[in-house]
Amino acid sequence: MMPALAVSRRTRSTPFTSRVEAMGVQAYTVYNHMLLPTVFQGIEEDYWHLCEHVQVWDVSCERQVEITGQDAQKLIQLMTPRDLSNARAGQCFYLPLCDEKGMLINDPIAIKHSDEHWWLSIADSDVKLWAMGIATGMGLDVAVCEPDVWPLAVQGPKAEDLMARVFGGQVRDIRFFNYRHLNYQGTDMVVARSGWSKQGGFEIYVSNAELGGLLWDELFSAGEDLQVAPGCPNLIERIESGLLSFGNDMDYSDTPLECGLDKYVSLTADIQSLSINALRSSTPRHQLVGLVCEGKHSFTATGVYMQELCVGEITSWAWSPKYGVTLAMARCSTPALNSDVSLTVNSDSGPHPVVLSGLPFDFNDLGLTAHEASQPQTVTGKL
Amino acid sequence: MMPALAVSRRTRSTPFTSRVEAMGVQAYTVYNHMLLPTVFQGIEEDYWHLCEHVQVWDVSCERQVEITGQDAQKLIQLMTPRDLSNARAGQCFYLPLCDEKGMLINDPIAIKHSDEHWWLSIADSDVKLWAMGIATGMGLDVAVCEPDVWPLAVQGPKAEDLMARVFGGQVRDIRFFNYRHLNYQGTDMVVARSGWSKQGGFEIYVSNAELGGLLWDELFSAGEDLQVAPGCPNLIERIESGLLSFGNDMDYSDTPLECGLDKYVSLTADIQSLSINALRSSTPRHQLVGLVCEGKHSFTATGVYMQELCVGEITSWAWSPKYGVTLAMARCSTPALNSDVSLTVNSDSGPHPVVLSGLPFDFNDLGLTAHEASQPQTVTGKL
């Protein structure tokens, strides 16, 4: 039973909220001070639909922090330990943002328009304040703002077909984590092949609210035979796919190296980054890992135990209908992970052993085979 | 009909959440990435109770941004245009925080522990990132963190009596916007005479979760005959009292001078503040004002009109059972406010004229008299 959400001007609505409500949204969360749908038909129903068809998501809450000016690229590089010296316009970049101690501030997708013009498509923290603070403190020649841009995601295996019907065949040529400027009814829109699922798809950066409404309607009318439906980031799919959620699976108390984001940290590059020195000399105290628990469980507490000792904390979990196991992400102490003693968690039916996994889960390696779509069941994780 | 809220680790629970739920919370909002109750018995029932008895509020979401170190006072002064040169330990300060252009970042209550130790008890934006960004950029000698402190508010006309039973008679000596360190079961707690209502009361800065639970229970057992009840910031009461909500009534696009916060901006002081120069030369483009509409209305749109022209936007509104009118706060363009033409708003029953008021509302001046408690009715504003 979910509690009610009191909506106000502060929990901003989006240009798509009236459509999302007309289409039966069941719940929201608040993300970047804005409404984000979390379930339509049911988390498991939404999951199977996303894996088989195509969904349109109102992800307006992925706010853009726009950085323009002569020092724009310099500021972006200061904010992240990932080497951006070869970044080209037209590309998207997953960027851990870190402070001087190497701790995570956010993990946006950066969109490079030019050396003097970047967008950070942010997770749930006020990156605008962090960027403005550094720029003000250092006297950088940049302007930082949050423009009126409300991303729509089109996700699922039929996403490309649907997008091609609305934007033309050129969408098929957009490579993963690249974007193009496409014309929609005379207006330029940034369209990237990206999105917070592993089912394939696109994100459309809508900067005209009225046109966005027309686009929403056209995606639904053009995709009727593709079984297009409204959707949203799905708890089951994102855990199966190993997609981390800032604020859930990682936060200000983690370095990217503690979250398995090593490949986005350029430890040996010669870059001017606030965090790179701290990260070079850091030792991970804990590690974000995957846990696999046989059967269908509802976790009543978040502790991960090595015998009697609490050595970690579950950060997200869900029943995986495709693999027939309960999957969790957990932050566990490094010594415990290096030990031979097995780990247990507490579910509604008592303590249960778990199998450790890297992230994303390697289901082959775990000896798990994907099932076909089955009757939806409803145990999903909310910690 | 309120939508449901999907709760996750990211929408942090508090040490009091289990108690709040056991006591029948009906809805939450998410504030500083944390659950904030918004209604228990009903907004109007909660309102009358707050005006007559005493309530205990879980305002853990008023996070503390702690600034320590040799440059702590310097950083705080940089962040606000209010002159703090005479600030003493033991005092609380309402502080507009502004950027270099004079635009609002947040409006916390600052608590001065010493020149080298301040807390900012923040509204809903990540002030920690702003403070850290400036400190990093300027190389200030400070540490910025969000300590585990979860404020409890005790509000209402019987708050002092209840607090005296639990903390002793010394609470009666705490003056408005001052705090003392009081002992609770052997542990030091900061207790301030403050809170987000005008019914009188205290805020207790709980830094031990377990002890906080005991304190909650004791406040309820000690206050049974005072009709103590769980409560929360109340929409009706805070609008009647003219208390502004950051994110609702003001945001990054307002200066404090546009929100009637002139007395917290020390335009003539010789201070090192990032925003003071911009504020000295700024001209208010709009102004936050009060609107009074006869009768009980539900506003279907937020526009404020001068004849056909939209000249403003309602930011918050509620039916005032005490004064028998509908009250709104609205951001209106300065030229419209200087004109003689009257303003109208749109309610469910059509366009209605409104009477302009300063904030807080001066009900005497408006010719309105307070009624006694009456049967609760349920029209309240959610824009």
Side-chain angles (χ1 to χ4, degrees), chain A residues 62-88:
Chain A
E62 291 173 5
R63 307 306 298 160
Q64 305 310 300
V65 174
E66 179 171 82
I67 300 178
T68 51
Q70 201 177 313
D71 291 334
Q73 174 124 1
K74 178 179 179 181
L75 175 56
I76 296 276
Q77 184 65 80
L78 281 167
M79 292 166 74
T80 183
R82 179 173 177 184
D83 182 6
L84 291 172
S85 45
N86 295 319
R88 285 179 293 104

PDB file of all heavy atoms in Angstrom, chain A residues 62-88:
ATOM      1  N   GLU A  62      14.598  14.636 -15.818  1.00  0.00           N
ATOM      2  CA  GLU A  62      16.024  14.658 -16.186  1.00  0.00           C
ATOM      3  C   GLU A  62      16.332  16.079 -16.641  1.00  0.00           C
ATOM      4  O   GLU A  62      16.414  16.376 -17.833  1.00  0.00           O
ATOM      5  CB  GLU A  62      16.312  13.680 -17.330  1.00  0.00           C
ATOM      6  CG  GLU A  62      16.179  12.225 -16.961  1.00  0.00           C
ATOM      7  CD  GLU A  62      16.305  11.298 -18.178  1.00  0.00           C
ATOM      8  OE1 GLU A  62      16.594  11.770 -19.293  1.00  0.00           O
ATOM      9  OE2 GLU A  62      16.088  10.094 -18.006  1.00  0.00           O
ATOM     10  N   ARG A  63      16.475  16.976 -15.698  1.00  0.00           N
ATOM     11  CA  ARG A  63      16.686  18.383 -16.022  1.00  0.00           C
ATOM     12  C   ARG A  63      18.037  18.585 -16.704  1.00  0.00           C
ATOM     13  O   ARG A  63      19.002  17.853 -16.451  1.00  0.00           O
ATOM     14  CB  ARG A  63      16.637  19.254 -14.753  1.00  0.00           C
ATOM     15  CG  ARG A  63      15.392  19.079 -13.909  1.00  0.00           C
ATOM     16  CD  ARG A  63      14.121  19.262 -14.679  1.00  0.00           C
ATOM     17  NE  ARG A  63      13.996  20.601 -15.238  1.00  0.00           N
ATOM     18  CZ  ARG A  63      13.204  20.926 -16.249  1.00  0.00           C
ATOM     19  NH1 ARG A  63      12.475  19.999 -16.844  1.00  0.00           N
ATOM     20  NH2 ARG A  63      13.129  22.153 -16.685  1.00  0.00           N
ATOM     21  N   GLN A  64      18.091  19.578 -17.558  1.00  0.00           N
ATOM     22  CA  GLN A  64      19.351  19.936 -18.202  1.00  0.00           C
ATOM     23  C   GLN A  64      19.996  21.082 -17.427  1.00  0.00           C
ATOM     24  O   GLN A  64      19.359  22.106 -17.183  1.00  0.00           O
ATOM     25  CB  GLN A  64      19.118  20.410 -19.645  1.00  0.00           C
ATOM     26  CG  GLN A  64      18.352  19.431 -20.508  1.00  0.00           C
ATOM     27  CD  GLN A  64      18.904  18.033 -20.452  1.00  0.00           C
ATOM     28  OE1 GLN A  64      20.049  17.802 -20.791  1.00  0.00           O
ATOM     29  NE2 GLN A  64      18.098  17.084 -19.981  1.00  0.00           N
ATOM     30  N   VAL A  65      21.246  20.873 -17.032  1.00  0.00           N
ATOM     31  CA  VAL A  65      22.052  21.982 -16.539  1.00  0.00           C
ATOM     32  C   VAL A  65      22.905  22.420 -17.721  1.00  0.00           C
ATOM     33  O   VAL A  65      23.737  21.653 -18.221  1.00  0.00           O
ATOM     34  CB  VAL A  65      22.919  21.561 -15.342  1.00  0.00           C
ATOM     35  CG1 VAL A  65      23.865  22.692 -14.941  1.00  0.00           C
ATOM     36  CG2 VAL A  65      22.021  21.162 -14.175  1.00  0.00           C
ATOM     37  N   GLU A  66      22.638  23.623 -18.191  1.00  0.00           N
ATOM     38  CA  GLU A  66      23.319  24.117 -19.387  1.00  0.00           C
ATOM     39  C   GLU A  66      24.507  24.974 -18.976  1.00  0.00           C
ATOM     40  O   GLU A  66      24.354  25.892 -18.162  1.00  0.00           O
ATOM     41  CB  GLU A  66      22.358  24.949 -20.232  1.00  0.00           C
ATOM     42  CG  GLU A  66      22.989  25.518 -21.486  1.00  0.00           C
ATOM     43  CD  GLU A  66      21.954  26.164 -22.404  1.00  0.00           C
ATOM     44  OE1 GLU A  66      21.598  27.335 -22.151  1.00  0.00           O
ATOM     45  OE2 GLU A  66      21.487  25.494 -23.330  1.00  0.00           O
ATOM     46  N   ILE A  67      25.664  24.657 -19.544  1.00  0.00           N
ATOM     47  CA  ILE A  67      26.874  25.433 -19.259  1.00  0.00           C
ATOM     48  C   ILE A  67      27.383  25.987 -20.574  1.00  0.00           C
ATOM     49  O   ILE A  67      27.684  25.230 -21.495  1.00  0.00           O
ATOM     50  CB  ILE A  67      27.921  24.551 -18.556  1.00  0.00           C
ATOM     51  CG1 ILE A  67      27.320  24.032 -17.237  1.00  0.00           C
ATOM     52  CG2 ILE A  67      29.211  25.331 -18.304  1.00  0.00           C
ATOM     53  CD1 ILE A  67      28.206  23.119 -16.447  1.00  0.00           C
ATOM     54  N   THR A  68      27.399  27.309 -20.649  1.00  0.00           N
ATOM     55  CA  THR A  68      27.856  27.970 -21.871  1.00  0.00           C
ATOM     56  C   THR A  68      28.962  28.956 -21.533  1.00  0.00           C
ATOM     57  O   THR A  68      29.077  29.412 -20.397  1.00  0.00           O
ATOM     58  CB  THR A  68      26.704  28.742 -22.555  1.00  0.00           C
ATOM     59  OG1 THR A  68      26.067  29.576 -21.582  1.00  0.00           O
ATOM     60  CG2 THR A  68      25.666  27.811 -23.152  1.00  0.00           C
ATOM     61  N   GLY A  69      29.773  29.280 -22.548  1.00  0.00           N
ATOM     62  CA  GLY A  69      30.827  30.284 -22.348  1.00  0.00           C
ATOM     63  C   GLY A  69      32.197  29.708 -22.632  1.00  0.00           C
ATOM     64  O   GLY A  69      32.357  28.504 -22.827  1.00  0.00           O
ATOM     65  N   GLN A  70      33.154  30.602 -22.603  1.00  0.00           N
ATOM     66  CA  GLN A  70      34.516  30.244 -22.997  1.00  0.00           C
ATOM     67  C   GLN A  70      35.109  29.135 -22.125  1.00  0.00           C
ATOM     68  O   GLN A  70      35.893  28.324 -22.596  1.00  0.00           O
ATOM     69  CB  GLN A  70      35.377  31.514 -22.888  1.00  0.00           C
ATOM     70  CG  GLN A  70      36.637  31.488 -23.704  1.00  0.00           C
ATOM     71  CD  GLN A  70      37.372  32.820 -23.583  1.00  0.00           C
ATOM     72  OE1 GLN A  70      36.762  33.891 -23.698  1.00  0.00           O
ATOM     73  NE2 GLN A  70      38.665  32.752 -23.329  1.00  0.00           N
ATOM     74  N   ASP A  71      34.736  29.113 -20.839  1.00  0.00           N
ATOM     75  CA  ASP A  71      35.304  28.113 -19.924  1.00  0.00           C
ATOM     76  C   ASP A  71      34.394  26.900 -19.730  1.00  0.00           C
ATOM     77  O   ASP A  71      34.581  26.138 -18.770  1.00  0.00           O
ATOM     78  CB  ASP A  71      35.575  28.760 -18.558  1.00  0.00           C
ATOM     79  CG  ASP A  71      36.717  29.764 -18.597  1.00  0.00           C
ATOM     80  OD1 ASP A  71      37.594  29.622 -19.470  1.00  0.00           O
ATOM     81  OD2 ASP A  71      36.731  30.681 -17.756  1.00  0.00           O
ATOM     82  N   ALA A  72      33.420  26.705 -20.611  1.00  0.00           N
ATOM     83  CA  ALA A  72      32.451  25.621 -20.396  1.00  0.00           C
ATOM     84  C   ALA A  72      33.135  24.257 -20.324  1.00  0.00           C
ATOM     85  O   ALA A  72      32.929  23.488 -19.379  1.00  0.00           O
ATOM     86  CB  ALA A  72      31.386  25.636 -21.488  1.00  0.00           C
ATOM     87  N   GLN A  73      33.964  23.957 -21.321  1.00  0.00           N
ATOM     88  CA  GLN A  73      34.614  22.636 -21.316  1.00  0.00           C
ATOM     89  C   GLN A  73      35.544  22.494 -20.109  1.00  0.00           C
ATOM     90  O   GLN A  73      35.626  21.436 -19.488  1.00  0.00           O
ATOM     91  CB  GLN A  73      35.387  22.424 -22.622  1.00  0.00           C
ATOM     92  CG  GLN A  73      36.213  21.142 -22.632  1.00  0.00           C
ATOM     93  CD  GLN A  73      35.892  20.211 -23.795  1.00  0.00           C
ATOM     94  OE1 GLN A  73      35.053  20.497 -24.652  1.00  0.00           O
ATOM     95  NE2 GLN A  73      36.543  19.056 -23.799  1.00  0.00           N
ATOM     96  N   LYS A  74      36.197  23.582 -19.737  1.00  0.00           N
ATOM     97  CA  LYS A  74      37.077  23.550 -18.560  1.00  0.00           C
ATOM     98  C   LYS A  74      36.286  23.195 -17.295  1.00  0.00           C
ATOM     99  O   LYS A  74      36.707  22.367 -16.481  1.00  0.00           O
ATOM    100  CB  LYS A  74      37.759  24.917 -18.398  1.00  0.00           C
ATOM    101  CG  LYS A  74      38.654  25.030 -17.185  1.00  0.00           C
ATOM    102  CD  LYS A  74      39.313  26.411 -17.094  1.00  0.00           C
ATOM    103  CE  LYS A  74      40.179  26.499 -15.840  1.00  0.00           C
ATOM    104  NZ  LYS A  74      40.815  27.833 -15.718  1.00  0.00           N
ATOM    105  N   LEU A  75      35.115  23.826 -17.137  1.00  0.00           N
ATOM    106  CA  LEU A  75      34.292  23.557 -15.947  1.00  0.00           C
ATOM    107  C   LEU A  75      33.799  22.108 -15.937  1.00  0.00           C
ATOM    108  O   LEU A  75      33.844  21.432 -14.900  1.00  0.00           O
ATOM    109  CB  LEU A  75      33.104  24.537 -15.893  1.00  0.00           C
ATOM    110  CG  LEU A  75      32.092  24.304 -14.766  1.00  0.00           C
ATOM    111  CD1 LEU A  75      32.745  24.295 -13.386  1.00  0.00           C
ATOM    112  CD2 LEU A  75      30.976  25.366 -14.803  1.00  0.00           C
ATOM    113  N   ILE A  76      33.334  21.626 -17.096  1.00  0.00           N
ATOM    114  CA  ILE A  76      32.861  20.241 -17.157  1.00  0.00           C
ATOM    115  C   ILE A  76      33.992  19.281 -16.757  1.00  0.00           C
ATOM    116  O   ILE A  76      33.789  18.362 -15.966  1.00  0.00           O
ATOM    117  CB  ILE A  76      32.359  19.906 -18.585  1.00  0.00           C
ATOM    118  CG1 ILE A  76      31.148  20.765 -18.952  1.00  0.00           C
ATOM    119  CG2 ILE A  76      32.037  18.424 -18.706  1.00  0.00           C
ATOM    120  CD1 ILE A  76      29.822  20.260 -18.473  1.00  0.00           C
ATOM    121  N   GLN A  77      35.189  19.525 -17.293  1.00  0.00           N
ATOM    122  CA  GLN A  77      36.307  18.629 -16.969  1.00  0.00           C
ATOM    123  C   GLN A  77      36.683  18.728 -15.490  1.00  0.00           C
ATOM    124  O   GLN A  77      37.019  17.722 -14.868  1.00  0.00           O
ATOM    125  CB  GLN A  77      37.507  18.949 -17.857  1.00  0.00           C
ATOM    126  CG  GLN A  77      38.681  17.992 -17.645  1.00  0.00           C
ATOM    127  CD  GLN A  77      38.344  16.562 -18.049  1.00  0.00           C
ATOM    128  OE1 GLN A  77      38.363  16.208 -19.203  1.00  0.00           O
ATOM    129  NE2 GLN A  77      38.006  15.719 -17.061  1.00  0.00           N
ATOM    130  N   LEU A  78      36.591  19.923 -14.900  1.00  0.00           N
ATOM    131  CA  LEU A  78      36.856  20.044 -13.463  1.00  0.00           C
ATOM    132  C   LEU A  78      35.888  19.187 -12.650  1.00  0.00           C
ATOM    133  O   LEU A  78      36.250  18.612 -11.625  1.00  0.00           O
ATOM    134  CB  LEU A  78      36.708  21.513 -13.021  1.00  0.00           C
ATOM    135  CG  LEU A  78      37.872  22.448 -13.323  1.00  0.00           C
ATOM    136  CD1 LEU A  78      37.454  23.902 -13.119  1.00  0.00           C
ATOM    137  CD2 LEU A  78      39.084  22.115 -12.436  1.00  0.00           C
ATOM    138  N   MET A  79      34.656  19.086 -13.136  1.00  0.00           N
ATOM    139  CA  MET A  79      33.610  18.409 -12.367  1.00  0.00           C
ATOM    140  C   MET A  79      33.684  16.880 -12.438  1.00  0.00           C
ATOM    141  O   MET A  79      33.092  16.204 -11.609  1.00  0.00           O
ATOM    142  CB  MET A  79      32.228  18.884 -12.844  1.00  0.00           C
ATOM    143  CG  MET A  79      31.945  20.348 -12.503  1.00  0.00           C
ATOM    144  SD  MET A  79      30.503  20.999 -13.404  1.00  0.00           S
ATOM    145  CE  MET A  79      29.168  20.201 -12.507  1.00  0.00           C
ATOM    146  N   THR A  80      34.358  16.343 -13.451  1.00  0.00           N
ATOM    147  CA  THR A  80      34.358  14.882 -13.612  1.00  0.00           C
ATOM    148  C   THR A  80      35.774  14.330 -13.714  1.00  0.00           C
ATOM    149  O   THR A  80      36.660  14.986 -14.285  1.00  0.00           O
ATOM    150  CB  THR A  80      33.566  14.457 -14.877  1.00  0.00           C
ATOM    151  OG1 THR A  80      33.545  13.028 -14.943  1.00  0.00           O
ATOM    152  CG2 THR A  80      34.187  15.006 -16.154  1.00  0.00           C
ATOM    153  N   PRO A  81      36.002  13.112 -13.200  1.00  0.00           N
ATOM    154  CA  PRO A  81      37.309  12.471 -13.360  1.00  0.00           C
ATOM    155  C   PRO A  81      37.443  11.722 -14.692  1.00  0.00           C
ATOM    156  O   PRO A  81      38.460  11.076 -14.926  1.00  0.00           O
ATOM    157  CB  PRO A  81      37.345  11.489 -12.185  1.00  0.00           C
ATOM    158  CG  PRO A  81      35.917  11.123 -11.954  1.00  0.00           C
ATOM    159  CD  PRO A  81      35.116  12.362 -12.292  1.00  0.00           C
ATOM    160  N   ARG A  82      36.427  11.798 -15.561  1.00  0.00           N
ATOM    161  CA  ARG A  82      36.518  11.131 -16.860  1.00  0.00           C
ATOM    162  C   ARG A  82      37.173  12.071 -17.871  1.00  0.00           C
ATOM    163  O   ARG A  82      36.756  13.228 -18.008  1.00  0.00           O
ATOM    164  CB  ARG A  82      35.112  10.733 -17.345  1.00  0.00           C
ATOM    165  CG  ARG A  82      35.152  10.050 -18.697  1.00  0.00           C
ATOM    166  CD  ARG A  82      33.804   9.496 -19.116  1.00  0.00           C
ATOM    167  NE  ARG A  82      33.898   8.916 -20.446  1.00  0.00           N
ATOM    168  CZ  ARG A  82      32.872   8.417 -21.126  1.00  0.00           C
ATOM    169  NH1 ARG A  82      31.662   8.423 -20.583  1.00  0.00           N
ATOM    170  NH2 ARG A  82      33.053   7.909 -22.333  1.00  0.00           N
ATOM    171  N   ASP A  83      38.151  11.582 -18.576  1.00  0.00           N
ATOM    172  CA  ASP A  83      38.891  12.386 -19.558  1.00  0.00           C
ATOM    173  C   ASP A  83      37.988  12.752 -20.727  1.00  0.00           C
ATOM    174  O   ASP A  83      37.494  11.879 -21.437  1.00  0.00           O
ATOM    175  CB  ASP A  83      40.097  11.570 -20.050  1.00  0.00           C
ATOM    176  CG  ASP A  83      40.965  12.347 -21.033  1.00  0.00           C
ATOM    177  OD1 ASP A  83      40.702  13.550 -21.246  1.00  0.00           O
ATOM    178  OD2 ASP A  83      41.907  11.741 -21.571  1.00  0.00           O
ATOM    179  N   LEU A  84      37.783  14.054 -20.933  1.00  0.00           N
ATOM    180  CA  LEU A  84      36.911  14.521 -22.016  1.00  0.00           C
ATOM    181  C   LEU A  84      37.700  15.243 -23.105  1.00  0.00           C
ATOM    182  O   LEU A  84      37.115  15.925 -23.946  1.00  0.00           O
ATOM    183  CB  LEU A  84      35.837  15.459 -21.439  1.00  0.00           C
ATOM    184  CG  LEU A  84      34.793  14.779 -20.560  1.00  0.00           C
ATOM    185  CD1 LEU A  84      33.906  15.810 -19.886  1.00  0.00           C
ATOM    186  CD2 LEU A  84      33.943  13.809 -21.382  1.00  0.00           C
ATOM    187  N   SER A  85      39.033  15.068 -23.096  1.00  0.00           N
ATOM    188  CA  SER A  85      39.823  15.868 -24.050  1.00  0.00           C
ATOM    189  C   SER A  85      39.518  15.499 -25.500  1.00  0.00           C
ATOM    190  O   SER A  85      39.709  16.329 -26.386  1.00  0.00           O
ATOM    191  CB  SER A  85      41.319  15.772 -23.733  1.00  0.00           C
ATOM    192  OG  SER A  85      41.693  14.449 -23.467  1.00  0.00           O
ATOM    193  N   ASN A  86      39.025  14.288 -25.747  1.00  0.00           N
ATOM    194  CA  ASN A  86      38.702  13.912 -27.133  1.00  0.00           C
ATOM    195  C   ASN A  86      37.207  13.970 -27.439  1.00  0.00           C
ATOM    196  O   ASN A  86      36.764  13.466 -28.472  1.00  0.00           O
ATOM    197  CB  ASN A  86      39.225  12.505 -27.426  1.00  0.00           C
ATOM    198  CG  ASN A  86      40.741  12.458 -27.369  1.00  0.00           C
ATOM    199  OD1 ASN A  86      41.411  13.375 -27.852  1.00  0.00           O
ATOM    200  ND2 ASN A  86      41.280  11.424 -26.738  1.00  0.00           N
ATOM    201  N   ALA A  87      36.443  14.549 -26.525  1.00  0.00           N
ATOM    202  CA  ALA A  87      34.984  14.606 -26.727  1.00  0.00           C
ATOM    203  C   ALA A  87      34.646  15.452 -27.952  1.00  0.00           C
ATOM    204  O   ALA A  87      35.221  16.520 -28.155  1.00  0.00           O
ATOM    205  CB  ALA A  87      34.324  15.199 -25.486  1.00  0.00           C
ATOM    206  N   ARG A  88      33.705  14.954 -28.759  1.00  0.00           N
ATOM    207  CA  ARG A  88      33.279  15.689 -29.945  1.00  0.00           C
ATOM    208  C   ARG A  88      31.808  16.089 -29.823  1.00  0.00           C
ATOM    209  O   ARG A  88      31.026  15.408 -29.147  1.00  0.00           O
ATOM    210  CB  ARG A  88      33.455  14.816 -31.197  1.00  0.00           C
ATOM    211  CG  ARG A  88      34.908  14.675 -31.660  1.00  0.00           C
ATOM    212  CD  ARG A  88      35.038  13.787 -32.893  1.00  0.00           C
ATOM    213  NE  ARG A  88      34.704  12.389 -32.614  1.00  0.00           N
ATOM    214  CZ  ARG A  88      33.564  11.789 -32.976  1.00  0.00           C
ATOM    215  NH1 ARG A  88      32.649  12.456 -33.659  1.00  0.00           N
ATOM    216  NH2 ARG A  88      33.340  10.523 -32.680  1.00  0.00           N
TER     217      ARG A  88
END
